[in-house]
Amino acid sequence: MSPFPLGRPARLAVLASGRGSNLEALLRAFPPEDPLGRVVLVISDRREALALQKAVQSGVEAEYVPWPKGEGGRARFEEVAGQLLCERRIDLVLLAGFMRILSPQFVGQWAGRILNIHPSLLPAFPGLHAQRQALQAGVRETGCTVHFVDAGVDTGPIVLQRRVPVLPGDTEETLSARILAQEHLAYPEAVRRVLRGEARP
Ligand code: GAR
């Protein structure tokens, strides 16, 4: 069922809503000459997302696709984004700080070819504010998870995790920064594993 390994450089698309530091890590890890893959498309649901600027600075196609408010907004986004992904012949979709929930139908079309990164050791602390949830739960260790996306929220098969300690005096900010540094290592490594056919859903 998995198309990987492809035997040619994979065409990667990144979906991001904000700052785009994971996008930057992926751009650094997959330069245009990498035989395994390259980022060829960045899509954001927010026009002002730094991620779009970072894509442009790297010479990568950047597309703002609105997510209209109200009923039908998601379907409209998925129609336009889905068409872009098909037209650009994308092999693997990477959600990197994409703060929307995609429909089961959309995710189903990309089954085995769509990954997400989440700032906790899933299945612990899914959903929003995972770092705050970890602090409130009083755990001594947390981390980040890269996983295949399925119809649930942060529930798909795990590709890899990296752990960090929760330290006395940690705030949401200090803990998030410690996790983020590990995300920037985890995401490129997870993508490599998937592209080599070493990790399958
Ligand atoms: C990252 O911490 C990512 O794990 C998180 O948003 C941040 C995006 O940062 N994603 C989620 O919480 C998804 N549920 P970035 O824009 O700098 O990559």
Short mmCIF file of all heavy atoms in Angstrom, two decimals, residues 16-24 51 54 95-100 116-120 126-131 144-145 153-154 176 179-180 183-184, ligand 1:
data_model
loop_
_atom_site.label_atom_id
_atom_site.label_comp_id
_atom_site.label_asym_id
_atom_site.label_seq_id
_atom_site.Cartn_x
_atom_site.Cartn_y
_atom_site.Cartn_z
N ALA A 16 1.28 24.71 6.55
CA ALA A 16 1.67 25.39 7.78
C ALA A 16 0.76 26.60 7.99
O ALA A 16 0.38 27.27 7.03
CB ALA A 16 3.12 25.84 7.70
N SER A 17 0.43 26.87 9.26
CA SER A 17 -0.44 28.01 9.56
C SER A 17 0.31 29.21 10.12
O SER A 17 -0.26 30.30 10.19
CB SER A 17 -1.52 27.60 10.58
OG SER A 17 -2.31 26.56 10.09
N GLY A 18 1.53 29.01 10.59
CA GLY A 18 2.16 30.10 11.34
C GLY A 18 3.60 30.36 11.03
O GLY A 18 4.00 30.51 9.88
N ARG A 19 4.40 30.35 12.10
CA ARG A 19 5.80 30.76 12.11
C ARG A 19 6.68 29.98 11.15
O ARG A 19 7.61 30.51 10.56
CB ARG A 19 6.22 30.60 13.57
CG ARG A 19 7.62 30.54 13.92
CD ARG A 19 7.70 30.30 15.42
NE ARG A 19 7.21 28.95 15.77
CZ ARG A 19 7.21 28.45 16.99
NH1 ARG A 19 7.64 29.18 18.00
NH2 ARG A 19 6.76 27.23 17.21
N GLY A 20 6.44 28.68 11.03
CA GLY A 20 7.16 27.92 10.02
C GLY A 20 8.57 27.49 10.39
O GLY A 20 9.40 27.28 9.51
N SER A 21 8.85 27.30 11.69
CA SER A 21 10.21 26.86 12.02
C SER A 21 10.43 25.40 11.63
O SER A 21 11.53 25.01 11.25
CB SER A 21 10.52 27.09 13.51
OG SER A 21 9.84 26.17 14.31
N ASN A 22 9.39 24.59 11.71
CA ASN A 22 9.54 23.21 11.22
C ASN A 22 9.70 23.18 9.71
O ASN A 22 10.47 22.36 9.18
CB ASN A 22 8.34 22.35 11.66
CG ASN A 22 8.52 21.81 13.06
OD1 ASN A 22 9.38 20.97 13.30
ND2 ASN A 22 7.73 22.31 14.00
N LEU A 23 9.00 24.07 9.01
CA LEU A 23 9.22 24.19 7.56
C LEU A 23 10.68 24.50 7.28
O LEU A 23 11.30 23.88 6.41
CB LEU A 23 8.32 25.29 6.99
CG LEU A 23 8.70 25.74 5.58
CD1 LEU A 23 8.46 24.62 4.56
CD2 LEU A 23 7.92 26.99 5.17
N GLU A 24 11.25 25.46 8.03
CA GLU A 24 12.66 25.81 7.83
C GLU A 24 13.58 24.61 8.03
O GLU A 24 14.52 24.40 7.26
CB GLU A 24 13.07 26.90 8.82
CG GLU A 24 12.78 28.30 8.35
CD GLU A 24 13.30 29.30 9.37
OE1 GLU A 24 12.71 29.36 10.48
OE2 GLU A 24 14.27 29.99 9.08
N ALA A 51 5.48 31.28 7.45
CA ALA A 51 5.87 30.11 6.65
C ALA A 51 5.84 30.43 5.15
O ALA A 51 6.72 29.98 4.40
CB ALA A 51 4.93 28.95 6.96
N LYS A 54 8.92 32.40 4.30
CA LYS A 54 10.11 31.55 4.33
C LYS A 54 10.20 30.68 3.07
O LYS A 54 11.29 30.45 2.56
CB LYS A 54 10.10 30.69 5.60
CG LYS A 54 10.40 31.53 6.83
CD LYS A 54 10.26 30.78 8.13
CE LYS A 54 10.62 31.71 9.29
NZ LYS A 54 10.31 31.15 10.61
N LEU A 95 2.26 18.09 7.48
CA LEU A 95 1.61 19.12 8.28
C LEU A 95 2.62 19.61 9.31
O LEU A 95 3.15 18.82 10.09
CB LEU A 95 0.36 18.56 8.98
CG LEU A 95 -0.65 17.82 8.11
CD1 LEU A 95 -1.88 17.44 8.94
CD2 LEU A 95 -1.07 18.66 6.90
N ALA A 96 2.90 20.91 9.28
CA ALA A 96 3.94 21.46 10.16
C ALA A 96 3.38 22.72 10.82
O ALA A 96 3.47 23.81 10.26
CB ALA A 96 5.20 21.78 9.36
N GLY A 97 2.73 22.54 11.97
CA GLY A 97 2.07 23.68 12.60
C GLY A 97 0.85 24.09 11.79
O GLY A 97 0.53 25.27 11.70
N PHE A 98 0.18 23.10 11.21
CA PHE A 98 -1.07 23.38 10.47
C PHE A 98 -2.20 23.20 11.48
O PHE A 98 -2.44 22.10 11.96
CB PHE A 98 -1.21 22.42 9.29
CG PHE A 98 -2.42 22.72 8.44
CD1 PHE A 98 -2.47 23.90 7.69
CD2 PHE A 98 -3.49 21.86 8.39
CE1 PHE A 98 -3.58 24.20 6.92
CE2 PHE A 98 -4.61 22.14 7.61
CZ PHE A 98 -4.64 23.31 6.87
N MET A 99 -2.86 24.31 11.84
CA MET A 99 -3.74 24.32 13.02
C MET A 99 -5.21 24.12 12.64
O MET A 99 -6.10 24.75 13.20
CB MET A 99 -3.54 25.61 13.82
CG MET A 99 -2.09 25.84 14.24
SD MET A 99 -1.29 24.42 15.03
CE MET A 99 -1.86 24.63 16.70
N ARG A 100 -5.46 23.24 11.68
CA ARG A 100 -6.82 22.93 11.26
C ARG A 100 -6.98 21.42 11.23
O ARG A 100 -6.00 20.70 11.06
CB ARG A 100 -7.08 23.46 9.85
CG ARG A 100 -6.84 24.93 9.69
CD ARG A 100 -8.06 25.71 10.11
NE ARG A 100 -7.96 27.09 9.67
CZ ARG A 100 -8.94 27.97 9.83
NH1 ARG A 100 -10.07 27.62 10.42
NH2 ARG A 100 -8.79 29.21 9.44
N ASN A 116 2.16 14.32 10.31
CA ASN A 116 1.97 15.49 11.18
C ASN A 116 3.03 15.45 12.26
O ASN A 116 3.51 14.38 12.63
CB ASN A 116 0.58 15.46 11.81
CG ASN A 116 0.32 16.63 12.73
OD1 ASN A 116 0.64 17.78 12.38
ND2 ASN A 116 -0.23 16.38 13.90
N ILE A 117 3.39 16.64 12.79
CA ILE A 117 4.22 16.69 13.99
C ILE A 117 3.42 17.32 15.10
O ILE A 117 2.69 18.29 14.88
CB ILE A 117 5.55 17.42 13.75
CG1 ILE A 117 6.45 17.25 14.99
CG2 ILE A 117 5.35 18.89 13.39
CD1 ILE A 117 7.92 17.41 14.70
N HIS A 118 3.55 16.73 16.31
CA HIS A 118 2.77 17.18 17.45
C HIS A 118 3.69 17.30 18.66
O HIS A 118 4.52 16.42 18.90
CB HIS A 118 1.65 16.18 17.73
CG HIS A 118 0.75 16.62 18.84
ND1 HIS A 118 -0.23 17.57 18.68
CD2 HIS A 118 0.71 16.27 20.15
CE1 HIS A 118 -0.84 17.77 19.82
NE2 HIS A 118 -0.28 16.99 20.74
N PRO A 119 3.53 18.39 19.46
CA PRO A 119 4.47 18.64 20.56
C PRO A 119 4.14 17.91 21.86
O PRO A 119 4.02 18.53 22.92
CB PRO A 119 4.40 20.16 20.73
CG PRO A 119 3.01 20.51 20.31
CD PRO A 119 2.63 19.53 19.24
N SER A 120 3.98 16.59 21.78
CA SER A 120 3.85 15.76 22.99
C SER A 120 4.22 14.34 22.59
O SER A 120 4.36 14.02 21.40
CB SER A 120 2.42 15.78 23.54
OG SER A 120 1.57 14.96 22.76
N PRO A 126 -3.09 14.97 23.21
CA PRO A 126 -3.46 15.36 21.84
C PRO A 126 -4.15 16.73 21.85
O PRO A 126 -4.50 17.24 22.91
CB PRO A 126 -4.43 14.26 21.42
CG PRO A 126 -5.05 13.81 22.70
CD PRO A 126 -3.98 13.95 23.77
N GLY A 127 -4.36 17.27 20.66
CA GLY A 127 -5.14 18.51 20.54
C GLY A 127 -4.31 19.75 20.83
O GLY A 127 -3.08 19.72 20.77
N LEU A 128 -5.02 20.81 21.20
CA LEU A 128 -4.37 22.12 21.37
C LEU A 128 -3.57 22.19 22.67
O LEU A 128 -3.85 21.48 23.63
CB LEU A 128 -5.43 23.22 21.38
CG LEU A 128 -6.09 23.53 20.02
CD1 LEU A 128 -7.17 24.60 20.21
CD2 LEU A 128 -5.07 23.97 18.98
N HIS A 129 -2.57 23.09 22.70
CA HIS A 129 -1.80 23.41 23.90
C HIS A 129 -1.21 22.17 24.58
O HIS A 129 -1.34 21.98 25.79
CB HIS A 129 -2.68 24.19 24.90
CG HIS A 129 -3.37 25.37 24.28
ND1 HIS A 129 -2.67 26.42 23.70
CD2 HIS A 129 -4.67 25.67 24.12
CE1 HIS A 129 -3.52 27.30 23.23
NE2 HIS A 129 -4.74 26.87 23.46
N ALA A 130 -0.56 21.35 23.79
CA ALA A 130 -0.01 20.09 24.33
C ALA A 130 1.04 20.36 25.41
O ALA A 130 1.12 19.62 26.40
CB ALA A 130 0.61 19.29 23.19
N GLN A 131 1.81 21.43 25.25
CA GLN A 131 2.85 21.72 26.24
C GLN A 131 2.21 22.15 27.56
O GLN A 131 2.65 21.74 28.64
CB GLN A 131 3.79 22.82 25.72
CG GLN A 131 4.44 22.51 24.38
CD GLN A 131 3.67 23.04 23.18
OE1 GLN A 131 2.45 23.23 23.23
NE2 GLN A 131 4.39 23.31 22.09
N CYS A 144 8.06 15.14 21.47
CA CYS A 144 7.32 15.38 20.23
C CYS A 144 7.15 14.06 19.49
O CYS A 144 7.90 13.11 19.70
CB CYS A 144 8.02 16.41 19.36
SG CYS A 144 9.66 15.93 18.80
N THR A 145 6.15 14.06 18.62
CA THR A 145 5.79 12.84 17.87
C THR A 145 5.57 13.20 16.41
O THR A 145 4.85 14.16 16.11
CB THR A 145 4.47 12.24 18.41
OG1 THR A 145 4.62 11.97 19.80
CG2 THR A 145 4.10 10.97 17.67
N VAL A 153 -7.93 12.88 15.61
CA VAL A 153 -7.07 14.04 15.89
C VAL A 153 -5.84 13.55 16.65
O VAL A 153 -5.94 13.07 17.78
CB VAL A 153 -7.83 15.09 16.74
CG1 VAL A 153 -6.91 16.24 17.11
CG2 VAL A 153 -9.04 15.61 15.96
N ASP A 154 -4.68 13.61 15.98
CA ASP A 154 -3.39 13.20 16.57
C ASP A 154 -3.39 11.73 16.98
O ASP A 154 -2.84 11.37 18.03
CB ASP A 154 -3.04 14.10 17.78
CG ASP A 154 -2.97 15.57 17.40
OD1 ASP A 154 -2.53 15.88 16.26
OD2 ASP A 154 -3.36 16.42 18.21
N SER A 176 8.11 24.68 25.61
CA SER A 176 7.85 24.65 24.15
C SER A 176 9.14 24.78 23.36
O SER A 176 9.33 24.10 22.35
CB SER A 176 6.90 25.78 23.77
OG SER A 176 5.67 25.63 24.41
N ILE A 179 11.07 21.52 23.45
CA ILE A 179 10.46 20.53 22.55
C ILE A 179 10.71 20.89 21.09
O ILE A 179 11.04 20.03 20.26
CB ILE A 179 8.93 20.42 22.82
CG1 ILE A 179 8.68 19.91 24.24
CG2 ILE A 179 8.26 19.51 21.79
CD1 ILE A 179 7.20 19.98 24.66
N LEU A 180 10.58 22.18 20.79
CA LEU A 180 10.71 22.63 19.39
C LEU A 180 12.08 22.26 18.82
O LEU A 180 12.20 21.84 17.66
CB LEU A 180 10.48 24.13 19.29
CG LEU A 180 10.27 24.68 17.89
CD1 LEU A 180 8.99 24.13 17.25
CD2 LEU A 180 10.21 26.22 17.90
N GLU A 183 11.79 18.87 17.76
CA GLU A 183 10.93 18.74 16.57
C GLU A 183 11.75 18.93 15.30
O GLU A 183 11.56 18.23 14.30
CB GLU A 183 9.80 19.79 16.61
CG GLU A 183 8.79 19.58 17.71
CD GLU A 183 7.64 20.57 17.62
OE1 GLU A 183 7.19 20.90 16.51
OE2 GLU A 183 7.18 21.04 18.68
N HIS A 184 12.68 19.90 15.36
CA HIS A 184 13.46 20.23 14.16
C HIS A 184 14.39 19.09 13.75
O HIS A 184 14.82 19.02 12.60
CB HIS A 184 14.24 21.53 14.39
CG HIS A 184 13.35 22.71 14.61
ND1 HIS A 184 13.77 23.89 15.16
CD2 HIS A 184 12.01 22.87 14.35
CE1 HIS A 184 12.75 24.74 15.24
NE2 HIS A 184 11.68 24.14 14.75
C1 GAR B 1 5.02 23.18 16.61
O1 GAR B 1 5.36 23.10 17.97
C2 GAR B 1 4.12 22.01 16.23
O2 GAR B 1 4.47 20.81 16.85
C3 GAR B 1 2.80 22.52 16.71
O3 GAR B 1 2.79 23.89 16.35
C4 GAR B 1 4.11 24.37 16.34
C5 GAR B 1 4.39 25.00 14.99
O4 GAR B 1 5.62 25.65 15.00
N1 GAR B 1 1.73 21.81 16.10
C6 GAR B 1 0.61 21.50 16.73
O5 GAR B 1 0.41 21.81 17.88
C7 GAR B 1 -0.40 20.74 15.92
N2 GAR B 1 -1.43 20.23 16.75
P1 GAR B 1 6.30 26.12 13.64
O6 GAR B 1 5.24 26.90 12.86
O7 GAR B 1 7.43 27.00 14.06
O8 GAR B 1 6.75 24.90 12.89
#
